Amino acid sequence: MERTLIIVKPDGVQRGLIGEILGRFERRGLKLAGLKLMRIPRETAERHYAEHAGKPFYEGLVSFITSGAVAVGVVEGLGAIAMVRAMMGATNPANAVPGTIRGDFAVTVSYNVIHGSDGPDSAQREIALFFTPSEIVEYERATDRWGTE
Ligand code: UDP
Ligand code: MG
């Protein structure tokens, strides 16, 4: 089982897409192990996007991600990290295939609706940044057997 961090960014929340986006992960069979609505503090945003510090888009990115409410979730399942990335679509929505979240709901790279961890190390780091261990919920769903091998 893998866990990955997703963020419905401020544009996604403003546009009423939280349910649509979380619903896609649910319908796929992935499990929500953590969920919160929050306004990200600037220090948290800077740590979250530390790999991009110094890049031309960094300041705008941090301002944007802290500009309003976001929905942050931990998504769990077999191969969840790559699966969520595939469901998100390309970073630049111009290259995102229709059927992906960005390919269906976004037009510009600055406002691309969703974040998802890009690998096991970043998933672990990002989950710890947004959730305490007690905020991660372990529970069984009757349907879980259809998502295990
Ligand atoms: N971003 C941007 N301009 C760029 C590249 C990235 O505004 O030229 C933003 C975009 O919102 C992206 C985020 O920075 O989602 C993080 O970039 P990354 O390359 O990690 O893309 P992601 O992992 O979100 O697909
Ligand atoms: Mg990234």
Side-chain angles (χ1 to χ4, degrees):
M1 277 303 155
E2 279 182 352
R3 286 178 178 155
T4 188
L5 187 93
I6 63 108
I7 304 175
V8 180
K9 295 182 179 181
D11 53 334
V13 175
Q14 289 293 318
R15 292 170 58 203
L17 294 173
I18 298 173
E20 166 69 37
I21 290 169
L22 296 181
R24 288 181 176 219
F25 298 132
E26 286 190 296
R27 293 197 298 272
R28 183 77 186 257
L30 295 167
K31 184 197 276 189
L32 281 166
L35 190 60
K36 62 172 78 168
L37 193 72
M38 66 183 292
R39 178 91 176 247
I40 303 179
R42 190 176 173 95
E43 314 84 78
T44 307
E46 287 174 351
R47 288 175 65 191
H48 175 69
Y49 280 127
E51 65 172 309
H52 297 303
K55 295 181 186 172
F57 60 86
Y58 174 75
E59 281 304 326
L61 177 60
V62 171
S63 304
F64 165 61
I65 204 74
T66 56
S67 69
V70 297
V72 190
V74 176
V75 174
E76 181 181 297
L78 268 185
I81 298 170
M83 197 174 289
V84 165
R85 290 290 295 188
M87 291 173 75
M88 286 164 51
T91 302
N92 186 341
N95 304 320
V97 176
T100 63
I101 293 163
R102 287 164 171 168
D104 288 347
F105 301 117
V107 172
T108 65
V109 70
S110 306
Y111 306 115
N112 61 4
V113 174
I114 183 163
H115 168 84
S117 309
D118 65 5
D121 293 345
S122 59
Q124 200 175 18
R125 185 181 70 80
E126 292 172 4
I127 289 168
L129 196 52
F130 286 95
F131 289 88
T132 64
S134 67
E135 289 174 329
I136 309 284
V137 185
E138 294 206 28
Y139 61 101
E140 292 299 318
R141 297 179 305 179
T143 51
D144 282 347
R145 53 190 290 231
W146 310 116
T148 52
E149 280 176 335

